[in-house]
Every structure is written in structure tokens, then in C-alpha cells.
């Protein structure tokens, strides 16, 4: 039982480290302690990162589709800042080739094809990002059609704050047609989780293509998470994790909740065994 409990604690430490890593962003606390017992802890650190907004880039040949319609105006400066982080933090380190495409009433391509991920290319992409402006409608279908034409493409990362300007079912049907010829995963990122119709569309689009749906955690929830990670999850009376919209965080939170339940159960069994052993009469051999 002691060995089982130690393994559960190790699993929980890894889960919480992963949660901290996925949540890492400029507003998360920079140093926190996760308390496992009165005399043992694991140090957590966080630095500004692109995963909070974009999630984790998994493929090596990708295209980022960025909504620059008029409704994106309030978010655009922050998105541009974190897109630059994405270029250097994930695309440069993990991807062989990439491209950037913004869409509103029309499309703006950084390059005509996927290009090799070099320092020079990343510098050029960063400069291109700084000139993006928000205006017009949301031509998601046009952007997807163009992106699917890129040779060797493996993954698309679509960031938007709403539904397309065309029928959602039309977009899904067109993507189905495209995927019959090419196995490309579409990962979707929603900047407006309160628009449930848009969220449902983006969830379907991601699930339909084998991708993941992501919704960045807001600053208020991040601040609460910082305190929660500091306090810890080890005791039954400790607060539970808040609900997450995005697939990765939601699944990880479910695993943490399950592991906590197993840990409390094991601790209860251990306590009962110790009480039983203490109550049993001691037999001595003469």
C-alpha cells in the first residue's frame, strides 16, 4: 500500500507539472510550491509562453490560420504578441516547415507555400505579423480551402472568435471532402467561449478531423489557478480544479481528479490496516 501511494503521488506530481506547463503564460505566477506533505514539495515555475493561447503544436509541417475580421479588433494586439512567441517557442524548435495565413473578407498569405523553419524565416514571419490589422468578415471556408492546398501539410491551427460567415454545415462538408484526399488535422482555438454556437462548430471541426479544440484560460481563472497550485490538491477538503473548455486541459483535469480519488482511497485503506494491526494482540515466541 505504501508503494502504491508513493506511485500515485508521483503520478499526481507529473500531472500537475503538465497542467502548469499547459497553462504557462505571462499572467501565471512565476514561482509556486505544490505541497505534497508537510515536509515534501515540488517546485513549479512558469514563464511567458504560447501554449496558453495556442495550445501545443504537435505536427512538423503546419499552417497557422488567424482570424483578422473586425470582431478580432479587441484581441488582435495580444494575439499578435503571442503569435510571435509561438513562432520562436514552438514553430522554430519543433517544426520542419510552416506558413501563416490571415483571413477576413479576403486572405493574406505570408508565403505561397510552407517554408523551412529557419531563423531568417522566423524573423520574416514576425515582421509580417506586426502589420496585421482587423477588418471585414470571417471567411473561414476560404482560408481552409487555401491551406489544404499546401503541399506536405500535416496540421492546421485555426484561431478565431466566432462562427464562419457561411453555413457551418457547408464548412464541415467541404472539410470532409478535402480530407478524403489528404489526412490533415485541424486544431481549433476559440477566443470567445461564451458564443456557444461558435464553440460547438469549432469542437465539431476539430473532432471531425482528429484535431483538438482549445480555449485559452482567462486571466481571472489563471490567477485562481496560481493560488490553487500553491495550496495543493492532496487533501480531500482542498478545492477541486475549475472546469476547462479545451480538450487537453479538460482531459488532464479529469485524470487529476481520478488520481486524487485513488490516492484518498489508498490512504483510507492504509489507515484502516494500521488500526487493525495496532488492535491485534502481539504474539511473542518463547
Amino acid at each position: 500500500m505504501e508503494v502504491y501511494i508513493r506511485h500515485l503521488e508521483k503520478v499526481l506530481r507529473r500531472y500537475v507539472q503538465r497542467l502548469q506547463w499547459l497553462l504557462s503564460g505571462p499572467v501565471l505566477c512565476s514561482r509556486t510550491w505544490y505541497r505534497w506533505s508537510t515536509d515534501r514539495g515540488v517546485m513549479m515555475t512558469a514563464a511567458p509562453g504560447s501554449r496558453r493561447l495556442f495550445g501545443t503544436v504537435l505536427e512538423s509541417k503546419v499552417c497557422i490560420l488567424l482570424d483578422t475580421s473586425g470582431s478580432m479588433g479587441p484581441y488582435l494586439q495580444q494575439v499578435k504578441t503571442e503569435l510571435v512567441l509561438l513562432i520562436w517557442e514552438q514553430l522554430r524548435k519543433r517544426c520542419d516547415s510552416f506558413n501563416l495565413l490571415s483571413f477576413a473578407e479576403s486572405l493574406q498569405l505570408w508565403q505561397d507555400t510552407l517554408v523551412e523553419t529557419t531563423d531568417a524565416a522566423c524573423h520574416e514571419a514576425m515582421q509580417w505579423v506586426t502589420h496585421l490589422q482587423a477588418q471585414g468578415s470571417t471567411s473561414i471556408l476560404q482560408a481552409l480551402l487555401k491551406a489544404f492546398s499546401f503541399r506536405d501539410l500535416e496540421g492546421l491551427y485555426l484561431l478565431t472568435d466566432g462562427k464562419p460567415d457561411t453555413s457551418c454545415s457547408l464548412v464541415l462538408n467541404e472539410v470532409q471532402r478535402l480530407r478524403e484526399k489528404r489526412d490533415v488535422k485541424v486544431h481549433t482555438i476559440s477566443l470567445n467561449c461564451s458564443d456557444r454556437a461558435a464553440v460547438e462548430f469549432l469542437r465539431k471541426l476539430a473532432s471531425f478531423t482528429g484535431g483538438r479544440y482549445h480555449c485559452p484560460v482567462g486571466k481571472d481563472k489563471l490567477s485562481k489557478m496560481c493560488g490553487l497550485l500553491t495550496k495543493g490538491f492532496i487533501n480531500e477538503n482542498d478545492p477541486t480544479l475549475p472546469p476547462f473548455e479545451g480538450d487537453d486541459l479538460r482531459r488532464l483535469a479529469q485524470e487529476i481528479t481520478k488520481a486524487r480519488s485513488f490516492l484518498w482511497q489508498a490512504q483510507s485503506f492504509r489507515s484502516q490496516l494500521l488500526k487493525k494491526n495496532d488492535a491485534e494482540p502481539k504474539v511473542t515466541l518463547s
Side-chain angles (χ1 to χ4, degrees), residues 158-194:
L158 169 67
L159 184 146
T160 182
D161 69 333
K163 295 185 298 183
D165 55 5
T166 55
S167 164
C168 293
S169 59
L170 174 62
V171 175
L172 294 173
N173 290 336
E174 284 296 306
V175 170
Q176 181 180 16
R177 181 182 62 81
L178 292 169
R179 274 183 54 82
E180 289 175 356
K181 301 177 181 178
R182 303 193 55 190
D183 183 18
V184 175
K185 291 181 172 59
V186 181
H187 307 280
T188 57
I189 303 141
S190 174
L191 282 180
N192 184 9
C193 296
S194 60

Side-chain angles (χ1 to χ4, degrees), residues 109 112 143-153 178 182:
L109 281 75
D112 292 332
L144 288 169
L145 290 172
K146 181 62 181 178
F148 263 88
S149 71
F150 294 145
R151 184 179 178 182
D152 298 327
L153 181 71
L178 292 169
R182 303 193 55 190

Side-chain angles (χ1 to χ4, degrees), residues 23 63 79 172 212:
L23 287 170
C63 181
V79 169
L172 294 173
R212 292 133 50 234

Side-chain angles (χ1 to χ4, degrees), residues 3-237:
V3 171
Y4 178 63
I5 288 173
R6 286 199 300 271
H7 280 295
L8 278 174
E9 290 180 344
K10 182 179 179 180
V11 167
L12 269 170
R13 284 197 297 272
R14 294 297 299 272
Y15 280 162
V16 174
Q17 288 170 347
R18 182 69 175 182
L19 182 65
Q20 179 87 1
W21 184 75
L22 288 172
L23 287 170
S24 64
V27 298
L28 195 61
C29 53
S30 59
R31 294 170 68 89
T32 61
W33 285 87
Y34 188 89
R35 191 177 67 251
W36 291 98
S37 65
T38 57
D39 60 353
R40 181 172 59 201
V42 58
M43 191 172 181
M44 309 292 290
T45 61
S50 58
R51 290 178 298 274
R52 188 190 71 84
L53 179 60
F54 288 95
T56 306
V57 175
L58 301 179
E59 298 81 15
S60 61
K61 298 175 175 61
V62 303
C63 181
I64 310 299
L65 306 181
L66 181 66
D67 183 353
T68 53
S69 61
S71 60
M72 284 287 293
Y75 313 106
L76 191 58
Q77 188 54 52
Q78 177 192 355
V79 169
K80 288 162 68 173
T81 299
E82 299 204 33
L83 182 53
V84 170
L85 282 174
L86 177 74
I87 290 170
W88 290 105
E89 185 182 70
Q90 298 199 61
L91 303 185
R92 180 65 184 97
K93 293 180 180 179
R94 300 183 179 183
C95 297
D96 297 330
S97 59
F98 75 107
N99 200 358
L100 308 175
L101 188 160
S102 72
F103 60 93
E105 290 181 355
S106 59
L107 305 181
Q108 293 186 55
L109 281 75
W110 169 55
Q111 301 288 344
D112 292 332
T113 62
L114 300 185
V115 299
E116 183 182 357
T117 310
T118 63
D119 285 349
C122 290
H123 278 293
E124 291 180 15
M126 182 177 66
Q127 292 299 319
W128 182 83
V129 168
T130 61
H131 294 94
L132 293 175
Q133 296 182 343
Q135 59 182 352
S137 57
T138 311
S139 55
I140 289 179
L141 178 57
Q142 188 181 0
L144 288 169
L145 290 172
K146 181 62 181 178
F148 263 88
S149 71
F150 294 145
R151 184 179 178 182
D152 298 327
L153 181 71
E154 296 174 351
L156 289 173
Y157 290 78
L158 169 67
L159 184 146
T160 182
D161 69 333
K163 295 185 298 183
D165 55 5
T166 55
S167 164
C168 293
S169 59
L170 174 62
V171 175
L172 294 173
N173 290 336
E174 284 296 306
V175 170
Q176 181 180 16
R177 181 182 62 81
L178 292 169
R179 274 183 54 82
E180 289 175 356
K181 301 177 181 178
R182 303 193 55 190
D183 183 18
V184 175
K185 291 181 172 59
V186 181
H187 307 280
T188 57
I189 303 141
S190 174
L191 282 180
N192 184 9
C193 296
S194 60
D195 186 342
R196 302 315 299 177
V199 166
E200 184 63 21
F201 162 71
L202 293 173
R203 281 190 187 280
K204 285 182 179 179
L205 179 58
S207 176
F208 188 70
T209 61
R212 292 133 50 234
Y213 169 74
H214 183 69
C215 182
V217 177
K219 292 182 179 180
D220 291 342
K221 186 177 286 189
L222 272 177
S223 298
K224 293 178 181 178
M225 283 299 302
C226 178
L228 190 57
L229 289 170
T230 304
K231 179 174 176 56
F233 300 94
I234 208 71
N235 298 316
E236 285 191 76
N237 294 328

